[in-house]
Amino acid sequence: MTLSPQHIAHFQDRGFLLLEDQFSAQELDLLRRRADVVLAGRDERTVMEASGTAVRSVYGPHEIDPVFAVLGRHPRLVGPAQRLLDGDVYVYQSKLNVKSPFDGEFWEWHQDYVFWRNEDRMPAPRVLTAAVYIDDVDDFNGPLVLIPGSHREGVLRCPTPTDLASDAPNWHSHVSARLKYAIHRDVLGGLARRYGLHAPKARAGALLLFDGNIAHASSTNISPFARSLILYTYNHVANAPARPTRPGFLVSRDTRAIAPVDDDSLLADAAAAQEAR
Ligand code: SIN
Ligand code: MN
């Protein structure tokens, strides 16, 4: 996918870009099958919803699954990321967010970069996230909601962060429904009045790119359908934190520039693996 000047201007002005129908039915089939495998695992990468019954996220799927490794190096993601960040990129973080039927919980209003700046010392917001829609995303299954243009406001005010009392690891307050750096509610009214709210809804196969500083949130999933997204955060290679301390599945230690794979790699690799059996 080569981004047009209009695409680039849209991303720079609005802080996001939705590209529909980027992945075929066959590719989606493969991604859903691998997502099921990844979701069946339970280890330190797995974050459960507060109810304890449903998986919320799995971190670093590109490190543990060969198909998600290929997807992270896919030209349909890496090409736009390189173009929008103006240079070589690497995967800073990946995650599979499921938002399960009925049980998928909300994400508070937040910006991503403040977590990476405060927790990992990422030098600058030269970072974006590419989300592949594995399921249709509609009004009812908790679409991501963005405040278009809010990325131009820099890091917004957060309430004094408290480490939310629980037995969970410290970093869980960076990824669970109650976030350590949620945007202060006093700021949100003005922002939303100024810029409006937008939910980029689309069929499975869409790709959403969003800026590290855009304000975003999502609500609970009240529908009987999952809203799975696989998200890759691409950071410019010159913007890697020097000495990250959070686990490698939250902050990749491999900061080498990605050389994109071939465009047909997802299905070609799957076919080759099938034949080798
Ligand atoms: C969501 O999955 O709805 C939120 C993802 C994010 O904030 O990165
Ligand atoms: Mn986020």
Side-chain angles (χ1 to χ4, degrees):
M1 172 84 199
T2 308
L3 296 185
S4 67
Q6 288 77 9
H7 284 135
I8 295 167
H10 185 285
F11 183 86
Q12 286 170 346
D13 181 51
R14 312 265 288 159
F16 76 97
L17 182 65
L18 179 67
L19 302 170
E20 297 195 65
D21 301 322
Q22 296 296 297
F23 292 90
S24 70
Q26 253 186 316
E27 287 170 326
L28 286 170
D29 219 41
L30 175 66
L31 296 177
R32 286 193 198 104
R33 274 188 277 124
R34 298 313 305 175
D36 286 345
V37 173
V38 167
L39 291 169
R42 289 286 179 282
D43 63 18
E44 51 180 0
R45 298 163 179 275
T46 313
V47 178
M48 303 299 287
E49 298 288 14
S51 62
T53 51
V55 175
R56 178 176 177 83
S57 304
V58 178
Y59 281 81
H62 76 289
E63 296 178 342
I64 54 173
D65 183 273
V67 170
F68 290 132
V70 169
L71 185 60
R73 298 170 55 210
H74 202 284
R76 283 175 237 160
L77 279 67
V78 176
Q82 289 172 329
R83 190 82 178 81
L84 295 170
L85 295 175
D86 196 19
D88 281 330
V89 298
Y90 71 96
V91 174
Y92 178 74
Q93 183 182 89
S94 73
K95 60 188 187 237
L96 180 58
N97 281 0
V98 203
K99 204 164 277 208
S100 301
F102 308 117
D103 293 321
E105 288 170 18
F106 64 92
W107 287 77
E108 277 187 287
W109 284 105
H110 68 282
Q111 296 167 297
D112 292 331
Y113 173 62
V114 65
F115 289 85
W116 303 328
R117 183 192 72 178
N118 292 8
E119 300 296 328
D120 307 325
R121 304 281 167 239
M122 184 190 280
R126 201 171 181 187
V127 60
L128 60 77
T129 295
V132 177
Y133 291 20
I134 300 184
D135 296 314
D136 296 345
V137 176
D138 61 23
D139 287 319
F140 314 110
N141 61 357
L144 202 67
V145 180
L146 312 163
I147 302 186
S150 58
H151 64 301
R152 288 188 261 116
E153 302 282 334
V155 174
L156 296 161
R157 190 151 61 92
C158 302
T160 311
T162 46
D163 267 326
L164 308 160
S166 85
D167 296 334
N170 205 26
W171 59 266
H172 275 219
S173 68
H174 313 156
V175 300
S176 49
R178 298 246 81 98
L179 290 171
K180 185 169 178 183
Y181 306 109
I183 299 170
H184 202 292
R185 290 184 175 179
D186 290 353
V187 180
L188 280 162
L191 263 190
R193 266 190 294 278
R194 177 160 180 209
Y195 293 112
L197 303 176
H198 177 71
K201 292 168 283 183
R203 279 191 302 273
L207 176 69
L208 174 69
L209 301 146
F210 57 98
D211 188 280
N213 260 339
I214 197 167
H216 59 287
S218 62
S219 59
T220 53
N221 184 0
I222 56 164
S223 84
F225 308 112
R227 191 232 58 179
S228 303
L229 307 180
I230 166 106
L231 303 108
Y232 294 87
T233 293
Y234 293 101
N235 192 15
H236 191 280
V237 288
N239 197 40
R243 279 177 297 282
T245 55
R246 294 197 301 165
F249 53 82
L250 291 177
V251 189
S252 297
R253 300 305 197 257
D254 183 355
T255 63
R256 289 171 299 173
I258 294 174
V261 296
D262 291 337
D263 192 74
D264 66 352
S265 290
L266 284 169
L267 296 178
D269 287 6
Q274 192 76 20
E275 231 164 75
R277 269 198 214 130

